[in-house]
Amino acid sequence: MAGSAIGLGNIWRFPYVMGENGGAAFVIIYIAATILISLPIFVAEVLVGRNSERSAFGAMHAISGKRFWKWMGFLPVAIPLIISSYYSVVGGWSLKFLFSSVSGALVSASPDQVTGIFGSFISSTNGPVVFHLLFIFVCAVILICGVKAGIEKFSKFTIPALFVLVVIIIVYSLSLPGSMNGVKYLLEPGTQSLHPKAFAAAMGQSFYSLSLGMGVLITYGSYVSHKENLVVSSAGTALFDMAFAIMAGFAIMPAVFAAGLEPGAGPGLIFQSVPYVFNTMGAESPIISTVISVLFFLSVLVAAITSNISLMEVGVSYFMQKFSMKRILATVLVFLLCGGVGVLNALSFGVLSDFKILDMGLFDFLDTVSSNVLLLLCGFLSVIFVGWVMKKEDVKKEFTNSGSIEANVRIFGVFHFLIRYVAPVALVAIFVTNFIL
Ligand code: PHE
């Protein structure tokens, strides 16, 4: 579960969404939303999976026996495929920056040039498309060869490595001249104006980062043993994921201010600010800087691969079960689908930048709609399911391991209240605010 949660969502998405939505105030809303709403939903999804012993698209239907939930099982299959279509574009960017780190291009550029490398890369035509296709091709090959488990074992080393590298970047980033403005930006609410849409953005980010509302946790929950205390493992995962995201904020925002970039610069934020850190480091010691930047982009790349294969796997297993397809065919289909839409996403900062939906480029549109709208909708359905459709005794039994975990028996009342009343009301309120204001 931790492997699925930790990914580009923490390191790439959190800092830029925070930068677009008011800094410190956003961080506070994000923390509150994660603890009060996302964490109970996290537990609820794992609980549904363990109770039904089914994967995403069959679980709710299996428990309730109602047709409506069968139909709703479609959403958790469609959303990961939409996300994968642009996640793999960001995966491609990571790959490109890994190459640039190895070749020394990041260290040899001047500090002014280095923040612009990203902009000229994504607005070009061949580069973003080729790297995106390369990235998603690698993911597809991993899925076909069935070496997913091998890659996931590998990520047991790279995720902690990423963690350590982020700490190194924090320390270095804080030592840059001008970085304190970034710290202020993260800690002082009220310096930035807060748009009502920030609530949906914070909630959506929290869902995205915890892999909620996509059926991924329902599927993983179905593998959790009936002896496990799912409240402890869920809370541990959610809190660690949140801490990691906030750390990424402290690694990136000080560098953003030191480099004179805009915090609201959008999805490229990490790719503009982190190279600046490596570049300045490189002026003192090119070898150390090259090694650290290679390790950093390699770890980001592996985190992106593991997350993207789990996104693609949802579609692959759906096609295999539903249409009795062979794994290879199902994977080729998902590759063509996500890869094809991904090409358009990859071009949406360049030749297709004039193509706008609701004033957003295709990439931004799919990212915003899937996270701030579809995930919230799916999350809403899962709380209604656990709070109102499932029998309270069944939920309690699953939550407390049939009453054997004393502490869980004591907090069950709070959990059920949050799921039954607080989470649905909050989600509707956020949804309405997002559309009306
Ligand atoms: N939670 C992942 C991240 O933070 C994204 C993801 C969601 C990956 C769902 C897999 C499944 O990057």
Side-chain angles (χ1 to χ4, degrees):
M1 290 195 288
S4 163
I6 291 160
L8 292 177
N10 308 65
I11 182 122
W12 158 73
R13 199 173 188 279
F14 175 77
Y16 103 75
V17 174
M18 179 234 299
E20 281 180 341
N21 286 286
F26 176 90
V27 178
I28 294 170
I29 303 170
Y30 164 78
I31 294 176
T34 302
I35 295 175
L36 287 176
I37 304 169
S38 304
L39 177 56
I41 301 180
F42 195 104
V43 176
E45 288 200 7
V46 177
L47 185 149
V48 168
R50 186 167 80 166
N51 189 264
S52 68
E53 296 182 353
R54 295 287 170 94
S55 66
F57 36 92
M60 295 190 184
H61 182 231
I63 296 179
S64 69
K66 300 246 165 50
R67 275 196 80 82
F68 173 76
W69 296 102
K70 184 171 185 180
W71 192 79
M72 275 304 150
F74 175 73
L75 269 182
V77 178
I79 302 174
L81 294 181
I82 298 176
I83 295 186
S84 179
S85 79
Y86 69 82
Y87 206 89
S88 54
V89 172
V90 186
W93 297 348
S94 317
L95 192 59
K96 151 81 186 167
F97 274 74
L98 176 61
F99 284 180
S100 307
S101 304
V102 174
S103 73
L106 293 186
V107 180
S108 59
S110 74
D112 291 342
Q113 279 171 341
V114 78
T115 53
I117 292 178
F118 178 77
S120 46
F121 170 67
I122 56 162
S123 54
S124 66
T125 303
N126 297 340
V129 172
V130 169
F131 279 102
H132 148 69
L133 289 175
L134 201 60
F135 176 86
I136 196 163
F137 180 75
V138 169
C139 295
V141 170
I142 293 170
L143 282 168
I144 292 173
C145 298
V147 290
K148 185 168 169 275
I151 299 296
E152 270 160 14
K153 282 210 190 84
F154 189 55
S155 80
K156 282 211 179 102
F157 298 98
T158 52
I159 300 270
L162 189 59
F163 195 80
V164 173
L165 292 162
V166 167
V167 173
I168 296 177
I169 297 175
I170 293 179
V171 173
Y172 202 87
S173 194
L174 290 176
S175 75
L176 295 170
S179 62
M180 281 306 134
N181 291 331
V183 177
K184 269 204 200 124
Y185 183 83
L186 286 163
L187 295 180
E188 276 181 19
T191 48
Q192 305 295 316
S193 61
L194 194 65
H195 195 273
K197 287 205 189 313
F199 287 88
M203 196 72 245
Q205 171 58 26
S206 178
F207 266 56
Y208 186 99
S209 190
L210 289 174
S211 315
L212 292 183
M214 294 185 227
V216 171
L217 292 175
I218 300 183
T219 310
Y220 281 16
S222 68
Y223 309 139
V224 174
S225 134
H226 286 276
K227 292 202 195 85
E228 194 83 37
N229 184 343
L230 46 85
V231 179
V232 171
S233 25
S234 304
T237 309
L239 296 178
F240 182 68
D241 184 80
M242 183 170 83
F244 199 4
I246 294 174
M247 281 173 57
F250 276 95
I252 285 156
M253 274 312 161
V256 165
F257 280 83
L261 296 164
E262 274 298 315
L269 198 61
I270 176 184
F271 295 97
Q272 289 165 302
S273 55
V274 170
Y276 181 81
V277 173
F278 295 137
N279 183 274
T280 335
M281 216 184 251
E284 292 158 20
S285 149
I287 296 178
I288 295 181
S289 159
T290 304
V291 171
I292 294 184
S293 64
V294 168
L295 289 176
F296 176 77
F297 286 111
L298 184 66
S299 314
V300 170
L301 183 67
V302 177
I305 291 178
T306 52
S307 293
N308 198 49
I309 52 182
S310 69
L311 289 165
M312 290 170 80
E313 174 69 18
V314 178
V316 171
S317 62
Y318 175 78
F319 287 131
M320 282 167 66
Q321 285 184 28
K322 186 92 184 174
F323 304 105
S324 315
M325 270 183 200
K326 289 227 168 65
R327 170 164 280 272
I328 179 157
L329 192 64
T331 311
V332 170
L333 200 66
V334 169
F335 169 76
L336 292 176
L337 219 62
C338 299
V341 177
V343 168
L344 303 177
N345 285 327
L347 292 173
S348 79
F349 300 95
V351 288
L352 294 183
S353 60
D354 288 336
F355 175 72
K356 299 246 190 266
I357 308 174
L358 298 176
D359 224 16
M360 288 176 268
L362 187 63
F363 180 111
D364 283 336
F365 174 76
L366 291 180
D367 186 19
T368 308
V369 164
S370 54
S371 310
N372 301 1
V373 180
L374 296 178
L375 285 187
L376 299 191
L377 181 66
C378 238
F380 178 73
L381 292 172
S382 61
V383 288
I384 293 296
F385 187 82
V386 177
W388 298 87
V389 178
M390 269 178 92
K391 287 203 203 79
K392 191 172 173 182
E393 304 90 80
D394 291 345
V395 178
K396 186 167 183 181
K397 219 171 123 198
E398 205 55 62
F399 189 86
T400 61
N401 292 10
S402 306
S404 66
I405 307 174
E406 195 57 37
N408 293 7
V409 175
R410 254 180 276 133
I411 57 169
F412 179 72
V414 179
F415 166 75
H416 204 256
F417 180 76
L418 288 172
I419 287 290
R420 198 170 159 98
Y421 302 104
V422 179
V425 171
L427 287 173
V428 170
I430 290 171
F431 215 69
V432 171
T433 323
N434 190 40
F435 282 107
I436 297 185
L437 299 174

